[in-house]
Amino acid sequence: MNASRHDWTAAGLAELDETIALRRAIHADPEIGLRCDRTTAKIKAALAGLPLEYREGPSTSGLIAILRGQRGDNGRTVLLRGDMDALPMQEETGLPFASTVSGAMHACGHDSHTAMLVGAAKALSARRDALPGTVVFMFQPGEEGHHGAREMIRDGLLTDPAPDAAFALHIYPNAPAGVFVGRPGPLLASTDTVHATIRGKGGHAAMPHDCRDPIPVACEIVGALQVMIARQVPVADPAVLTITQVHAGSSHNIIPEEARIMGTLRTLSPATREATRAAFRRTVEGIAAAHGMTAEVEIDEGYPVTLCDPRATAMMQGVAADLGAAWVPMPAPMMGGEDFSYVLQEVPGAMAFMGVAPEGSDPASNPPLHNTRMTIDEATMARGIAMHCTLAERYLESGFGS
Ligand SMILES: [Zn+2]
Ligand SMILES: [Zn+2]
């Protein structure tokens, strides 16, 4: 691995004060979903005056900023992504810049992701003369279940210019500050939501033979689904199916007309995703039919598996080493989901986590992502900026071959 030609660690540190100020402004004013317009306005204000072109689409408040390097154009384009949206929860950190929006909180660190990406855009703009290709900065709302990346892709925002590689960072409060954590291949799971309605025939609870009772059938289906996961899914390519809701009935003496179940289906490969969706449908419909009932199955499409290209992960690991940062290989994927997966379906790339445990804290016991008390070591953002910038420069110079 060649040493970086530029001291990106120093560049990241030079951006730190403004990055912290921007992160705090976004943190205090969180927005949820596909329209984070106040956040977009803050990003535009922070980028004002830089030599960037912009693209926006109708479906979201997402923003694409394009930096065209001036050292000749070798045709490479690299995308760096930062998500922008917050979560529907009430902050309890007690920070002086805590959320001023009731019921909204940046508990997944997307405030810091956006601020770091702005910092990287500024630092890379200052080195525009030395860049031999194009950098695309993707500011994306709606990561928390709203398919923001998919909407931006459908709006055509990844076509002009089309990136050849993509990278993203996600902060992680349960790892030491400044450490990077990642793995090649599946990093995060697909996240489909499954629903089934079992339709029987209601009537008097004392005369079940005159009815078709959907409750024991729903119970049988829940058990059979666990057997399906245990016996039909390869152990080396696993799936999780958790039934999280069961609804039926209204009284002690009435057999209800129908029973409904709902849950989450998580997988680590497109093949197992497809197979377990089909098996869910088959199991529900088959057991209902065996008892003379019908079932209606619905599967809400969640995020795809987040699949990291091994070359891109190796590049992140190499850059971490050059920045003097530890790289901690993740032994197994996490079963959470991430909509950067949509970008990785379009172009090869990788995501890594960056430890942000506050100084003096015990990483293992820190409030995790999506917790009302989640906090970060802000100084670590300098390293995140350095990671973004080094990845961009290195990819433009040598592709994945560096
Ligand atoms: Zn999240
Ligand atoms: Zn997140």
Side-chain angles (χ1 to χ4, degrees):
M1 186 70 66
N2 299 322
S4 177
R5 292 178 186 176
H6 185 65
D7 187 351
W8 290 113
T9 295
L13 285 167
E15 297 295 337
L16 184 58
D17 286 351
E18 287 180 17
T19 303
I20 289 175
L22 177 60
R23 182 253 165 173
R24 291 183 179 189
I26 295 170
H27 190 90
D29 188 19
E31 296 176 284
I32 295 166
L34 293 173
R35 295 236 59 104
C36 298
D37 292 282
R38 299 191 305 276
T39 308
T40 306
K42 290 181 183 70
I43 294 166
K44 286 180 177 171
L47 297 177
L50 297 180
L52 301 169
E53 292 166 37
Y54 297 101
R55 306 264 190 275
E56 293 176 79
S59 305
T60 78
S61 71
L63 180 70
I64 297 284
I66 300 155
L67 175 67
R68 297 190 191 275
Q70 299 293 290
R71 208 183 92 202
D73 186 353
N74 65 14
R76 286 199 189 102
T77 296
V78 62
L79 179 145
L80 305 172
R81 178 273 210 161
D83 40 10
M84 299 159 59
D85 58 319
L87 285 155
M89 54 201 289
Q90 191 65 36
E91 179 162 354
E92 295 180 305
T93 60
L95 290 167
F97 53 90
S99 171
T100 57
V101 180
S102 178
M105 175 189 175
H106 270 290
C108 204
H110 300 182
D111 50 349
S112 64
H113 301 169
T114 291
M116 286 190 285
L117 198 59
V118 167
K122 288 156 71 180
L124 283 163
S125 292
R127 287 276 295 169
R128 187 187 184 201
D129 290 351
L131 298 177
T134 300
V135 188
V136 170
F137 303 92
M138 180 184 188
F139 295 96
Q140 180 224 306
E143 192 288 321
E144 296 288 358
H146 305 274
H147 303 268
R150 184 185 70 191
E151 295 308 305
M152 289 182 73
I153 292 167
R154 284 182 179 171
D155 281 349
L157 294 177
L158 259 53
T159 54
D160 176 30
D164 304 299
F167 295 95
L169 288 176
H170 201 298
I171 59 112
Y172 191 58
N174 301 111
V179 157
F180 291 97
V181 183
R183 73 193 306 280
L187 182 77
L188 291 149
S190 65
T191 61
D192 295 327
T193 304
V194 293
H195 307 259
T197 302
I198 297 98
R199 296 196 202 288
K201 181 184 168 202
H204 201 293
M207 285 157 275
H209 58 282
D210 289 333
C211 309
R212 294 256 187 251
D213 185 353
I215 290 181
V217 176
C219 295
E220 191 177 330
I221 286 171
V222 172
L225 288 170
Q226 296 310 313
V227 175
M228 179 274 282
I229 293 291
R231 310 315 298 166
Q232 294 183 38
V233 177
V235 70
D237 184 10
V240 170
L241 173 59
T242 300
I243 299 300
T244 53
Q245 294 190 38
V246 179
H247 295 284
S250 59
S251 176
H252 72 285
N253 60 357
I254 302 170
I255 289 174
E257 286 280 323
E258 61 179 44
R260 287 177 290 128
I261 64 174
M262 178 183 180
T264 184
L265 176 61
R266 312 237 162 181
T267 71
L268 297 172
S269 75
T272 291
R273 186 187 198 190
E274 203 183 310
T276 47
R277 283 174 167 188
F280 178 84
R281 187 177 293 279
R282 191 169 65 235
T283 303
V284 170
E285 292 176 347
I287 291 176
H291 293 284
M293 298 181 202
T294 59
E296 199 177 296
V297 170
E298 254 180 76
I299 299 177
D300 293 340
E301 177 125 350
Y303 293 162
V305 181
T306 303
L307 280 174
C308 296
D309 188 293
R311 296 167 300 169
T313 301
M315 201 166 161
M316 293 187 97
Q317 183 172 357
V319 171
D322 288 350
L323 296 175
W327 175 271
V328 181
M330 252 167 86
M334 287 188 201
M335 298 309 281
E338 173 47 77
D339 87 340
F340 185 58
S341 51
Y342 288 114
V343 177
L344 294 181
Q345 281 185 329
E346 303 288 316
V347 286
M351 172 182 239
F353 294 96
M354 182 176 76
V356 289
E359 215 179 326
S361 69
D362 169 21
S365 58
N366 282 337
L369 296 172
H370 292 212
N371 184 287
T372 55
R373 291 189 168 79
M374 202 281 291
T375 59
I376 71 168
D377 175 355
E378 292 179 311
T380 313
M381 292 192 291
R383 179 163 273 176
I385 294 169
M387 171 60 89
H388 275 311
C389 293
T390 314
L391 284 169
E393 181 193 58
R394 198 161 288 181
Y395 183 81
L396 292 185
E397 287 187 345
S398 322
F400 288 128
S402 61

